[in-house]
Amino acid sequence: MLTIGQLARCFGLTTRTLRHYDDIGLLGPGHTGHDNGYRYYQPQHVQRLARIVWLRSLGLSLPEIGSLLHDDAWQDSAQLRQALSRHARHLQSEIDTRQRQLTKLAHFLEHPARSQTTMQTPSLVTRPAFRVIGMQWQQADGGTIAQLWTRFVPRIPEIQNVLSANSYGVCDAHPDGSWRYIAGLEVSADTPVPAGMVAIAIPAQHYAVVEHHGPVQGLPDTFCAAYTEWLPEAGLVAVPGIEFELVDARFLGPDHPDSVVELYIPVNMDATDDDA
């Protein structure tokens, strides 16, 4: 039999780690001395620990390893491969997420976005009702809004009766807190909706208009600055309603540092009119 110290040295572990494995039921000793309380391990425990160390080296968590060992799944090659395949998919998902984060970070370091901290004075416009046809993304759909635009652009020729060369990114919030985003074009009222697309009627509304400069990944920061700083400073109050992004000839690409997108935020202009 091996003592806990001997077993720990065999695998480059600490005795504290082995005591923790014992506490959580992952690997207990074969025998504990009555007189000295020492833990002793037999050959089968060495084999079990070797499997634990191997699975840990693959990134499995202790609960996942415990489940495999408890069901003796690690001795069934089919079950073991199934469990490791699930883990591989999970790791790939994490890698993809980290790669997207790394790409964004690298882009920022190479092309720092323009600061949005400079105060903007919103311009005020009143737009009549209009209609947009396009493709929608909802929170439960998965993917990203950027991917939605990638799918939408090739299908633009399918839309008839387009009234403007501008594109719209429409944010339609619902009372329950959910929302949808529609990438689309302004069309006439009787335009048919192509398969796989949706139409949305945007009512007449007063808007505060601000500009977002730089890559689209900074849009949330611009919206935040508009709501929390620029509108209050101008004495404007945002109201519930459909807000949208207007994309015109000044948009040079989603990652271009000189791109400009106009943001239209519904506001209550009654107070402004009263003050005037």
Side-chain angles (χ1 to χ4, degrees), residues 142-165:
T144 65
I145 290 175
Q147 291 169 343
L148 170 69
W149 278 99
T150 300
R151 295 193 303 271
F152 171 65
V153 170
R155 297 195 60 187
I156 286 178
E158 299 177 35
I159 303 176
Q160 304 173 21
N161 306 323
V162 175
L163 300 181
S164 169

Side-chain angles (χ1 to χ4, degrees), residues 93-109:
S93 177
E94 288 189 339
I95 290 170
D96 292 343
T97 298
R98 294 296 187 186
Q99 185 59 57
R100 287 193 295 270
Q101 294 171 341
L102 181 60
T103 298
K104 290 181 180 179
L105 179 59
H107 186 276
F108 174 81
L109 293 175

Side-chain angles (χ1 to χ4, degrees), residues 25-26 48 61-71:
L26 193 59
R48 185 180 176 93
S61 67
L62 293 180
E64 289 172 325
I65 295 173
S67 178
L68 281 171
L69 296 181
H70 181 267
D71 298 333

Side-chain angles (χ1 to χ4, degrees), residues 27-235:
L27 177 70
H31 172 69
T32 301
H34 294 294
D35 54 343
N36 55 22
Y38 290 173
R39 294 173 168 87
Y40 297 97
Y41 297 84
Q42 298 171 332
Q44 63 267 30
H45 298 111
V46 177
Q47 183 183 17
R48 185 180 176 93
L49 181 57
R51 183 63 60 169
I52 293 171
V53 170
W54 178 66
L55 292 172
R56 284 295 283 163
S57 73
L58 298 179
L60 272 74
S61 67
L62 293 180
E64 289 172 325
I65 295 173
S67 178
L68 281 171
L69 296 181
H70 181 267
D71 298 333
D72 287 331
W74 66 278
Q75 295 182 332
D76 183 316
S77 60
Q79 291 189 57
L80 179 60
R81 288 183 66 85
Q82 186 178 39
L84 292 181
S85 293
R86 287 196 302 269
H87 181 61
R89 291 192 295 271
H90 175 71
L91 285 180
Q92 186 61 58
S93 177
E94 288 189 339
I95 290 170
D96 292 343
T97 298
R98 294 296 187 186
Q99 185 59 57
R100 287 193 295 270
Q101 294 171 341
L102 181 60
T103 298
K104 290 181 180 179
L105 179 59
H107 186 276
F108 174 81
L109 293 175
E110 185 177 355
H111 304 289
R114 293 183 180 179
S115 173
Q116 295 292 341
T117 57
T118 302
M119 180 68 70
Q120 287 189 35
T121 300
S123 57
L124 301 176
V125 301
T126 300
R127 286 201 55 159
F130 65 103
R131 186 170 185 245
V132 167
I133 286 179
M135 296 176 65
Q136 75 173 5
W137 174 89
Q138 300 183 87
Q139 291 169 288
D141 290 344
T144 65
I145 290 175
Q147 291 169 343
L148 170 69
W149 278 99
T150 300
R151 295 193 303 271
F152 171 65
V153 170
R155 297 195 60 187
I156 286 178
E158 299 177 35
I159 303 176
Q160 304 173 21
N161 306 323
V162 175
L163 300 181
S164 169
N166 299 332
S167 300
Y168 291 82
V170 181
C171 183
D172 181 24
H174 301 153
D176 64 359
S178 63
W179 55 280
R180 61 175 178 161
Y181 181 94
I182 299 170
L185 303 176
E186 183 180 0
V187 297
S188 60
D190 58 350
T191 302
V193 180
M197 296 193 190
V198 299
I200 183 170
I202 302 176
Q205 176 67 55
H206 302 305
Y207 296 95
V209 183
V210 298
E211 294 181 348
H212 169 73
H213 295 264
V216 296
Q217 67 187 39
L219 273 168
D221 294 335
T222 302
F223 270 114
C224 183
Y227 276 109
T228 61
E229 300 177 40
W230 304 339
L231 267 65
E233 182 68 20

